[in-house]
Amino acid sequence: MVNSKVLEVRNLLLHYSTVRGVVKAVDGINFEVSKGETLAIVGESGSGKSSTALAIMRILPRNVAAYGGEVWFKDLDIMKIDEEEFRRKVRVEGISMVFQGAMNSLNPVIRIEDQVAEPLIVNMKFKRDEAVSEAHEALKLVGLDPAIGRRYAHELSGGMKQRVLIAMSLVAKPSIIILDEPTSALDVITQANIMNLLKRLKEELGFTYLFITHDLGLASELADRVAVMYAGKIVEIGSCEDVYIHTKHPYTKMLLDSVPTLREDKHPAFIPGAPPDLVKPPTGCSFHPRCPFIVRGKCDVETPPMLYAGEGHNASCWLLEKESG
Amino acid sequence: MMRLKPLLRYKSSLVGVGILCFLIILSVYTVATLPFEEAARLWRAGELTWLDNPRNALPAWVNFFSPTKLPETLILNTQKPGPDVIKVSVRAGENIKISRVEMNFRYGFDDFPSEINLFFTSTYRTSPPQLTISWTKPDGTQIPLRRMTIAREDRFYISSDTVLSTELNQLMENRLGRKPAYTVPTSTILFGPFDETLLNPESVKVVKGDYRLSVEGLLFEPEADFDVKLVVYGKVYGWAGTDHLRRDIGIALLWGTPIALLFGVSAAVSIALIQMTIGAVSAWFRGGVDTVMQRITEVFLVLPFLPVLIMVSTLYKVNIWVILLIVVFLSSFGPGVKNYRALFLQLRESPYIEAARSYGAGDLRIVVIHLIPRVLPTMIPSVVLSAADFVFLEAALAILGIGDPITPTWGKVIQDAFYFGALFKGHYYWVLIPSALLAATSISFALIGFALDKIFNPRLKEV
């Protein structure tokens, strides 16, 4: 597969101002997604996964304190273009997004088919009936009967709603789909169905995903590469195999150890301490207060850069420097 | 699109829909049969147009509910001759002609007529006709009424003529040999018996039977002629009675229906739409737009609504549609703006709004497609409910005397009734019928509104 980059994020920043101070939700992250590839961003709640998605899609809340960096979409730095151009070049056939919380992401007073067709009507000036027939195609693609297009959101089950949202995101034929926790608030069976659907779409139609989740298992199912986020930063990024098996960052390691396993006779370990306060993040490596391998005078003083940990595998931990050096 | 079926599931709203349908049919009937210009002209025409109607008559349907039948108006006219109206002319010389008119009618009501009038028209060159008028009771008693020379347009108010009244009282005194304790009204003498019962106004009864009015005319020119119209005014008229100017109140009540409905519904709908739009824009754009709109709203909130309206209509004599515009203008930045803004502030943070922004929907599209349809369910019942308020407001303004001076409305009928002491004089129908229509209108809107509220906002039932 030729590595043609669809999305490249450089030093992306998104800070919110709150009454308590500035929350560094996304604090200078870098990653890239190639065509046909799936990058999973995993991390616990409040680590800045969803904010990353919002920053890329430029759907900012009102209390933004800082917003910067570069986001290259194909050959265009979309951080530099104005809202109208952004709409034309990115929202249309560019990047689309599936939001978390399928239950509330559909307007309860608009028919499903009209809602799925909306992006086409808004952006591509489709006529309503053409757009609706496209919407029916999209519904078929996600395994729904086009007849449900006549229904309203409250008549559908959670899984069906999530499928509708996926149909809505792919109806405009985007180059990359951002999936923001697409299976949260769904039961395990429905979750598996949705994951199978996403996998099928990827294999058959070659979709490119940016898959945001807190579930390491789900990430490994769908992703080619995984980025682990902690406190607004990416702490480890690499292929699935590298991150899951040749783990380099202590946080990733402990995160993997905390997942209960079915077949091995092993108790899940937990990570001591609590996630850092993003208003006053710890000095140095933000994981150092919880890290068992802390090097005093180094980890709590200097922020580690992304260090080489193998081909296409990076982690930000001073231990790697010691290893290599 | 609008499915009315669930509305008919509730008995209360069925009643409401029924009343509203009746009012709408009444409006359509009114507009179709009586043009507005005609109604307005009749309503402002003055007493001459209404001369054949009784004054302050009750509605005719009271006779259905009462054992004593109140009289209806009887009109006999030589211009419309028939078996009851006979006119014979005999030549009595070279230039002299004698015309005799006999008007026979049957009087079978239980009460005396309110008035009796004679109207004459005559054609002559120099010498006016001379008439001798007499009255014959069912028992054959003949009472001479008057001998008079008539002008081209003339009248003889039989029941209110003081000379005649004195004569008849004298006549009666002679017959009975006693003087009653009160001045017996002419109509009582003409329609009552000549016996002891006359002495007491409580005990006197109408003598039912065939009456006759005879007019013998002496004409002094060969071409001269005259016509007589006898009007025996009843005490009931039409379906709504008449007022102090003998006008048919029914006309005002009929035309009041479409005006009340149109006023109420258009005020309610336009105010709700304007308030909602202001609320939506204010909540969606926030910042400066929001601040400006909310401050304007607060200014309008402290403006006293009724005094401003009274001031405007005192300075300018405005018609009802200008009043509507003023009402809409004063209410545009009303308390509803605050309500809708609060709703929209909550809705604008919904995930589907975020999704709409992500696929690039513009501000206008989000407001029109996503925000506004979302609040329509909560809006519709309150619009229906407030329609009744505006119907009442229109009536209230008319009662305060600041309504439209030309258009006949329910409120104006009540105002007239109030002004001319209807309740003091016991003319209850004058107040009660328009009030009942007002009440029926607001009840129908209220019943429909409550049912719509149950249908559109089923969660409210749980609270």
Side-chain angles (χ1 to χ4, degrees), chain B residues 166-197:
Chain B
T166 320
E167 274 175 25
L168 288 178
N169 268 284
Q170 190 62 47
L171 181 82
M172 191 187 58
E173 208 182 312
N174 294 344
R175 281 276 188 100
L176 291 173
R178 278 163 69 182
K179 189 175 166 60
Y182 69 111
T183 311
V184 186
T186 307
S187 55
T188 309
I189 297 173
L190 292 183
F191 283 91
F194 272 143
D195 57 22
E196 297 290 310
T197 55

Coordinates of all heavy atoms in Angstrom, one line a residue, chain B residues 166-197:
Chain B
T166 N -104.7 61.0 26.1 CA -105.7 61.7 27.0 C -107.1 61.4 26.6 O -108.0 61.1 27.5 CB -105.5 63.3 27.0 OG1 -104.1 63.5 26.9 CG2 -106.1 64.0 28.1
E167 N -107.4 61.5 25.3 CA -108.7 61.2 24.8 C -109.2 59.8 25.2 O -110.3 59.6 25.7 CB -108.7 61.3 23.3 CG -109.0 62.7 22.7 CD -108.8 62.7 21.2 OE1 -109.0 61.7 20.6 OE2 -108.5 63.8 20.7
L168 N -108.3 58.8 25.0 CA -108.7 57.4 25.2 C -108.9 57.2 26.7 O -109.8 56.4 27.1 CB -107.6 56.5 24.6 CG -107.5 56.4 23.1 CD1 -106.4 55.5 22.7 CD2 -108.9 55.9 22.5
N169 N -108.0 57.8 27.5 CA -108.2 57.6 29.0 C -109.5 58.2 29.4 O -110.2 57.6 30.3 CB -107.1 58.3 29.7 CG -105.9 57.3 30.0 OD1 -106.0 56.5 30.8 ND2 -104.8 57.4 29.2
Q170 N -109.9 59.3 28.8 CA -111.2 60.0 29.1 C -112.4 59.0 28.7 O -113.3 58.8 29.5 CB -111.3 61.3 28.4 CG -112.4 62.2 28.8 CD -112.3 62.5 30.3 OE1 -111.3 62.9 30.7 NE2 -113.4 62.3 31.0
L171 N -112.2 58.5 27.5 CA -113.2 57.6 27.0 C -113.4 56.4 27.9 O -114.5 56.0 28.2 CB -112.7 57.1 25.6 CG -113.6 56.2 24.8 CD1 -114.7 57.0 24.1 CD2 -112.8 55.4 23.8
M172 N -112.3 55.9 28.3 CA -112.3 54.7 29.2 C -113.0 55.0 30.5 O -113.7 54.2 31.0 CB -110.9 54.2 29.4 CG -110.8 52.9 30.0 SD -109.1 52.6 30.3 CE -108.8 54.0 31.3
E173 N -112.6 56.2 31.0 CA -113.2 56.6 32.3 C -114.7 56.7 32.2 O -115.4 56.2 33.1 CB -112.5 57.9 32.7 CG -112.5 58.2 34.1 CD -111.9 59.6 34.4 OE1 -110.8 59.9 33.8 OE2 -112.5 60.3 35.2
N174 N -115.1 57.2 31.1 CA -116.6 57.3 30.9 C -117.2 56.0 30.9 O -118.3 55.7 31.4 CB -116.9 58.1 29.6 CG -116.4 59.5 29.7 OD1 -116.1 60.0 30.8 ND2 -116.3 60.2 28.6
R175 N -116.6 55.0 30.2 CA -117.2 53.7 30.0 C -117.3 53.0 31.3 O -118.2 52.3 31.7 CB -116.3 52.8 29.1 CG -116.5 53.1 27.6 CD -117.6 52.3 27.1 NE -117.7 52.4 25.6 CZ -117.3 51.5 24.8 NH1 -116.8 50.4 25.3 NH2 -117.3 51.7 23.5
L176 N -116.1 53.1 32.1 CA -116.1 52.3 33.4 C -116.7 53.0 34.5 O -117.1 52.4 35.5 CB -114.6 52.0 33.7 CG -113.8 51.1 32.9 CD1 -112.4 51.1 33.2 CD2 -114.4 49.7 32.9
G177 N -116.8 54.3 34.4 CA -117.3 55.1 35.5 C -116.3 55.3 36.6 O -116.7 55.8 37.7
R178 N -115.1 54.9 36.4 CA -114.1 55.1 37.5 C -112.8 55.5 36.8 O -112.5 55.2 35.7 CB -113.9 53.8 38.2 CG -114.9 53.5 39.3 CD -114.9 52.1 39.7 NE -113.6 51.7 40.4 CZ -113.4 50.5 40.8 NH1 -114.2 49.5 40.6 NH2 -112.2 50.3 41.5
K179 N -111.9 56.1 37.6 CA -110.7 56.6 37.0 C -109.6 55.6 37.5 O -109.4 55.4 38.7 CB -110.4 58.0 37.5 CG -109.2 58.6 36.8 CD -109.0 60.1 37.2 CE -107.7 60.7 36.8 NZ -107.4 60.6 35.4
P180 N -108.8 55.0 36.6 CA -107.7 54.1 37.1 C -106.7 54.9 37.8 O -106.5 56.1 37.6 CB -107.2 53.5 35.8 CG -108.0 54.0 34.7 CD -108.9 55.1 35.2
A181 N -105.9 54.2 38.6 CA -104.8 54.9 39.4 C -103.6 55.3 38.6 O -102.7 55.9 39.1 CB -104.4 54.0 40.5
Y182 N -103.6 54.9 37.3 CA -102.4 55.2 36.5 C -102.9 55.6 35.1 O -104.1 55.4 34.7 CB -101.5 54.0 36.4 CG -102.1 52.8 35.6 CD1 -101.5 52.5 34.4 CD2 -103.2 52.1 36.1 CE1 -102.0 51.5 33.6 CE2 -103.7 51.1 35.3 CZ -103.1 50.7 34.1 OH -103.6 49.7 33.4
T183 N -102.1 56.3 34.3 CA -102.4 56.6 33.0 C -102.3 55.3 32.1 O -101.2 54.8 32.0 CB -101.5 57.7 32.4 OG1 -101.4 58.7 33.3 CG2 -101.9 58.2 31.1
V184 N -103.4 54.8 31.6 CA -103.3 53.6 30.9 C -102.7 53.8 29.5 O -103.1 54.7 28.8 CB -104.8 53.0 30.7 CG1 -104.7 51.6 30.1 CG2 -105.5 52.9 32.0
P185 N -101.7 53.1 29.2 CA -101.0 53.3 27.9 C -102.0 53.0 26.7 O -102.9 52.2 26.8 CB -99.9 52.2 27.9 CG -99.8 51.8 29.3 CD -101.1 52.0 29.9
T186 N -101.8 53.7 25.6 CA -102.7 53.6 24.5 C -102.8 52.2 24.0 O -103.8 51.7 23.7 CB -102.1 54.5 23.4 OG1 -102.0 55.8 23.9 CG2 -103.1 54.6 22.2
S187 N -101.6 51.5 23.9 CA -101.6 50.1 23.4 C -102.4 49.2 24.3 O -103.1 48.3 23.8 CB -100.2 49.6 23.2 OG -99.5 49.7 24.4
T188 N -102.5 49.5 25.6 CA -103.3 48.7 26.5 C -104.8 48.9 26.2 O -105.6 48.0 26.2 CB -103.0 49.0 27.9 OG1 -101.6 48.9 28.1 CG2 -103.6 48.0 28.9
I189 N -105.1 50.2 26.0 CA -106.5 50.5 25.7 C -107.0 49.9 24.4 O -108.0 49.3 24.2 CB -106.8 52.0 25.7 CG1 -106.5 52.5 27.1 CG2 -108.2 52.3 25.3 CD1 -106.5 54.0 27.2
L190 N -106.1 49.9 23.4 CA -106.4 49.4 22.1 C -106.5 47.9 22.0 O -107.3 47.3 21.3 CB -105.4 49.9 21.0 CG -105.4 51.4 20.7 CD1 -104.5 51.8 19.6 CD2 -106.8 51.9 20.4
F191 N -105.6 47.2 22.8 CA -105.6 45.8 22.7 C -106.2 45.1 23.9 O -106.2 43.9 24.0 CB -104.1 45.3 22.5 CG -103.6 45.5 21.1 CD1 -103.0 46.6 20.7 CD2 -103.9 44.5 20.2 CE1 -102.6 46.8 19.4 CE2 -103.4 44.6 18.8 CZ -102.8 45.8 18.4
G192 N -106.6 45.9 24.9 CA -107.1 45.3 26.1 C -108.6 45.3 26.2 O -109.2 46.0 25.3
P193 N -109.2 44.7 27.2 CA -110.7 44.8 27.3 C -111.2 46.0 28.0 O -110.4 46.6 28.8 CB -111.0 43.5 28.1 CG -109.7 43.4 29.0 CD -108.6 43.9 28.2
F194 N -112.4 46.4 27.8 CA -112.9 47.6 28.5 C -113.6 47.1 29.8 O -114.8 47.0 29.9 CB -113.9 48.3 27.7 CG -113.3 49.4 26.8 CD1 -113.7 49.7 25.5 CD2 -112.3 50.2 27.3 CE1 -113.2 50.7 24.8 CE2 -111.7 51.2 26.6 CZ -112.1 51.4 25.3
D195 N -112.9 46.6 30.8 CA -113.6 46.2 32.0 C -112.7 46.4 33.2 O -111.7 47.2 33.1 CB -113.9 44.7 31.9 CG -112.7 43.8 31.6 OD1 -111.6 44.3 31.9 OD2 -112.8 42.7 31.2
E196 N -113.1 45.9 34.3 CA -112.4 46.2 35.6 C -110.9 45.9 35.6 O -110.1 46.5 36.3 CB -113.1 45.4 36.7 CG -114.5 45.7 36.9 CD -114.7 47.1 37.5 OE1 -114.1 47.4 38.5 OE2 -115.5 47.9 37.0
T197 N -110.5 44.9 34.8 CA -109.1 44.5 34.8 C -108.1 45.7 34.4 O -107.0 45.7 34.8 CB -108.8 43.3 33.9 OG1 -109.3 43.6 32.6 CG2 -109.5 42.1 34.4

